[in-house]
Amino acid sequence: MRKQGKIGTSFKAKPEPSEILQGIDLSGKVAVVTGGYSGIGLETTKALAGAGVKVYVPTRDSSKAATNLAELAGEVISLPMDLASLDSVRHFAADFSEQESRLDLLINNAGIMACPQARLGNNWESQFAINHIGHFVLTSSLLPMLLKTESARVVSLSSIVHRQSDIIWDDIHFLNTEYNKWMAYAQAKTANALFALGLDMNYENEGLRAFSVHPGGILTPLQRHLPIQEMQALGWTDAEGKLTEQMVPLFKTPSQGCATTLWAATSPMLAEMGGLYCEDCDVANLATEDSPYHCDVAPWAINEESALRLLSVTEEMLA
C-alpha cells in the first residue's frame, strides 16, 4: 500500500487555479481532458490552456462544447468521443495520435453520477462502464503516447463517495442484486482510484505517474440526475437549489473544484510520488473510524492487490 498522508502544502482550503499554476512552466505541453467542456472539466481546460498547454477535449455534445469552449484563451481542440462507445474512444485515441507526438497530461475527468439503471456494452452497468471502463480503454489506447513523453502524468477523478463501497467483486454489474445508484457510483469511484494506483504500479519505472483526486463538493451538471428533493434530503441544498448554511463551508466553486486536479497534474512536490489519492491540494489521509465523512481515503481504494485485480477483471470484460 502506498503511504497516504498529508505532505503539507501552502494552499488554503479553496485555492483558485491561478494559485496552483503560479510559477509552473507548462508551455509546449499537450493535455487531454475528458469532460473538458462542462463543470470542473471546463475550468480545468480553461486553466491549462491559459497556462500555455495545448488541450484536446473529447466531445460527446459538439454543439455544447463549441459554445462553452468558444471564448477560452489558448489552444483548445475538440474531437468527437463518447465514453459509452468504446469504438468512439478508440477512434478518438487514433485521431489524437495522428495529430500529436506527445501527451504530457491525461485528465480522466468525465463521469456520470447516481443515474437510473442503464446497460452498455456487454451488459455492463452504465456508471462502471462510463466512469471506469471507458477511461480504462482511453488510457490504454493513449499509453504509447504517454510512455514516450518525459514525466507524463495521468489524473483520475474519484469522489469521497468511494468510501461507501469497495468494488462489488461478485456482482459488479448488478446482474444478481437489486440496483442501487449510489452503490454503483461509489464502486465506480473506487475503481477510478484503484485504476490510477494500478497504472502507477505498472509504469512508474518507465516514467509515467498517476494520481486519483477527490475534487470536493461542487454543484455542477454532474448532479443532473438528482431531483431537488433528493439533494434537500441529503442536506446539500434548500428547496430553491441553493447550498444550505451547513454545506457552504464544504462546497467549492467549479474553478476551486479543479484545483486539486491541477495540483496532481503539475505540482513539483509530486515529482517522485505516484499512485496516491489526493484532496484539497494535498495527499489525503487514510480514513479511520474517526474520519469526517467528507474527507480521507478508504483502505480499499488504495489496496495494491485490488488495483491489480481490477486490471485483470477489466481486461476480462473487454476480451
Side-chain angles (χ1 to χ4, degrees):
M1 183 182 294
R2 305 298 169 93
K3 187 177 180 181
Q4 288 285 152
K6 303 289 186 185
I7 60 176
T9 68
S10 59
F11 298 112
K12 59 187 180 182
K14 301 178 182 180
E16 294 293 338
S18 59
E19 299 173 63
I20 303 300
L21 298 181
Q22 185 175 7
I24 299 176
D25 183 11
L26 298 175
S27 57
K29 293 190 180 296
V30 178
V32 171
V33 182
T34 70
Y37 59 99
S38 179
I40 64 173
L42 176 60
E43 296 294 337
T44 304
T45 299
K46 179 180 179 180
L48 290 175
V53 179
K54 186 177 184 180
V55 184
Y56 282 79
V57 179
T59 55
R60 181 176 59 86
D61 186 333
S62 58
S63 177
K64 180 179 179 181
T67 299
N68 291 353
L69 297 173
E71 297 183 4
L72 296 191
E75 191 170 7
V76 179
I77 300 167
S78 61
L79 293 174
M81 190 188 85
D82 183 352
L83 283 167
S85 166
L86 299 187
D87 286 342
S88 169
V89 172
R90 294 184 179 105
H91 188 72
F92 168 87
D95 281 353
F96 173 85
S97 299
E98 288 179 0
Q99 297 186 39
E100 296 295 335
S101 60
R102 63 185 295 137
L103 177 56
D104 299 271
L105 304 173
L106 173 57
I107 313 296
N108 290 328
N109 166 87
I112 56 175
M113 181 180 78
C115 56
Q117 185 173 26
R119 298 202 172 275
L120 299 171
N122 190 19
N123 210 23
W124 300 324
E125 188 278 316
S126 64
Q127 295 191 73
F128 192 87
I130 289 174
N131 296 343
H132 171 61
I133 298 176
H135 281 122
F136 181 98
V137 171
L138 176 65
T139 306
S140 299
S141 300
L142 292 174
L143 193 57
M145 299 286 287
L146 290 162
L147 291 176
K148 71 179 182 180
T149 305
E150 184 178 359
S151 302
R153 293 189 191 181
V154 176
V155 178
S156 179
L157 272 285
S158 184
S159 165
I160 195 60
V161 180
H162 83 274
R163 285 184 52 185
Q164 294 186 19
S165 179
D166 191 356
I167 304 295
I168 307 169
W169 296 106
D170 60 350
D171 195 14
I172 288 174
H173 298 293
F174 292 86
L175 298 175
N176 302 308
T177 53
E178 183 178 357
Y179 177 70
N180 180 304
K181 66 181 183 181
W182 285 110
M183 293 292 283
Y185 182 63
Q187 77 155 352
K189 295 291 101 178
T190 290
N192 292 150
L194 289 174
F195 177 54
L197 173 57
L199 194 66
D200 196 85
M201 291 170 61
N202 284 337
Y203 297 105
E204 64 174 306
N205 290 336
E206 297 182 55
L208 175 63
R209 305 314 302 254
F211 302 88
S212 58
V213 162
H214 167 44
I218 309 114
L219 291 180
T220 71
L222 185 64
Q223 288 91 22
R224 60 188 175 274
H225 295 293
L226 298 182
I228 290 291
Q229 295 86 348
E230 184 168 0
M231 289 197 285
Q232 276 186 273
L234 290 167
W236 296 356
T237 66
D238 59 22
E240 297 179 351
K242 297 179 181 179
L243 287 174
T244 62
E245 184 176 345
Q246 293 83 358
M247 289 295 107
V248 168
L250 300 179
F251 271 61
K252 303 176 181 181
T253 65
S255 63
Q256 293 166 348
C258 79
T260 304
T261 295
L262 295 172
W263 182 76
T266 67
S267 176
M269 297 182 73
L270 296 171
E272 303 300 323
M273 301 181 187
L276 300 167
Y277 175 99
C278 305
E279 63 186 10
D280 293 336
C281 300
D282 205 337
V283 177
N285 288 325
L286 184 63
T288 68
E289 292 181 356
D290 298 323
S291 290
Y293 70 90
H294 56 81
C295 62
D296 299 346
V297 59
W300 55 72
I302 54 169
N303 183 286
E304 293 186 348
E305 290 184 3
S306 293
L308 295 178
R309 182 180 181 185
L310 178 64
L311 171 64
S312 176
V313 166
T314 307
E315 288 176 339
E316 289 174 7
M317 292 176 188
L318 293 166

